[in-house]
Amino acid sequence: MKSAVIVFPGSNCDRDIKVALEGCGSEVAMVWHGDKKLPDVDLVVVPGGFSYGDYLRSGAMAAHSPIMNEVKKFGEKGGYILGICNGFQILTEAHILPGTLMRNKNLKFICKDVYLKPENTDTAFTSGYKDKKAIRIPIAHHDGNFFASEKEIKELEKNKQIAFRYCTKSGSINDKSNPNGSMNNIAGIFNKEKNILGLMPHPERLWEKAVGGEDGKAMFESLIANFG
Amino acid sequence: MKAKIYITLKNGVLDPQGKAIEGALGHLGFSGINEVRQGKFIEVELKESDKKKAEAKIEDMCKQLLANTVIENYSFELAS
């Protein structure tokens, strides 16, 4: 598998995802946001961080970077895109994914491990999570409160576009397991075609035992299994 | 020409920052507050002198960048 990681001014998880993808067996190219061309790759990652200092709204500026036009076209042609944290915010601001990420309900920056229930494991991103009730992945964000119109939420649910929901360690989904106020406990969503995934949690931060856990690894292994 | 742009959260969109401000005003002893909603105020100085063209330009700016129309409304006024 060949991957590209987009680097914006203020990205800070770009190197982490590079290390994780390489560790799982992917070639990785770093692509500057001002570039106007994507290399020939299977996967484009829009990484976490604080692009443009979160000015105006998280992800709003980065969504209009020159490279994002190419990323959008790449996705429309069926290319695989993964947006993590700020990357998810950028994908919604660029209208590549629906909804938006609002300020956390408790107004605090939240940095901790949470449990996620994989809701659809029939995708290239999540096939490695079959039969998993709950996986442990860290979150680190101020604006992770997923919001979409009622109509959009219905569409997301109907089309099996919910990738992950915040849950308890045993896999139950309730208000207590919802760290940021997201509608329907949504932590990550796919586009309708399932070639684009955006999620607030950071799988690249828990992908090998040396960093305290490896529940994130299955996502990269799933992708690599899909592309060879 | 100067545009004064107001960006507010749509009705029905939860505004935790507004709620926190409301709480703080209550702590300060201000009573009789029904609700506080917060938003953004942006000023844009334009070279354009034609009002119609300026309006169209600001409208575009709001839609493309300044407001996130999933959750926000915008309004603006122009002053020379």
Side-chain angles (χ1 to χ4, degrees), chain B residues 22-64:
Chain B
E22 191 182 315
L25 288 173
H27 289 310
L28 285 169
F30 292 99
S31 59
I33 296 168
N34 285 333
E35 197 187 15
V36 177
R37 307 275 287 171
Q38 55 84 49
K40 292 188 187 96
F41 172 67
I42 299 170
E43 279 187 340
V44 177
E45 189 85 46
L46 289 171
K47 279 184 189 147
E48 185 62 64
S49 54
D50 182 281
K51 200 173 170 198
K52 276 243 154 71
K53 281 184 188 162
E55 273 175 4
K57 211 174 226 176
I58 296 290
E59 186 84 32
D60 258 5
M61 288 180 191
C62 288
K63 278 188 192 145
Q64 285 185 40

Side-chain angles (χ1 to χ4, degrees), chain A residues 62-154:
Chain A
H64 301 289
S65 282
I67 197 69
M68 286 310 291
N69 270 331
E70 293 308 304
V71 173
K72 198 169 188 174
K73 280 188 217 154
F74 175 79
E76 283 165 359
K77 280 189 288 186
Y80 282 74
I81 304 173
L82 171 62
I84 302 169
C85 196
N86 189 220
F88 184 16
Q89 295 162 339
I90 294 168
L91 293 182
T92 61
E93 282 284 346
H95 305 296
I96 293 172
L97 286 174
T100 191
L101 285 311
M102 297 181 54
R103 182 58 32 112
N104 292 341
K105 198 174 171 187
N106 68 359
L107 298 175
K108 290 186 175 127
F109 187 96
I110 308 170
C111 184
K112 64 174 186 183
D113 289 0
V114 295
Y115 290 92
L116 303 176
K117 185 173 182 213
E119 291 285 12
N120 180 352
T121 54
D122 290 328
T123 78
F125 297 97
T126 52
S127 57
Y129 293 123
K130 258 192 187 86
D131 305 322
K132 286 264 184 195
K133 271 193 191 147
I135 55 170
R136 182 170 62 98
I137 306 276
I139 53 169
H141 61 244
H142 211 159
D143 300 303
N145 181 352
F146 184 79
F147 180 93
S149 69
E150 244 173 72
K151 196 178 146 214
E152 279 173 320
I153 292 278
K154 263 189 201 154

Side-chain angles (χ1 to χ4, degrees), chain A residues 56-57 64 100 102 147, chain B residues 14 40 64-66 68 71:
Chain A
L56 192 65
R57 296 179 304 275
H64 301 289
T100 191
M102 297 181 54
F147 180 93
Chain B
L14 190 75
K40 292 188 187 96
Q64 285 185 40
L65 179 67
L66 302 181
N68 179 342
I71 47 167

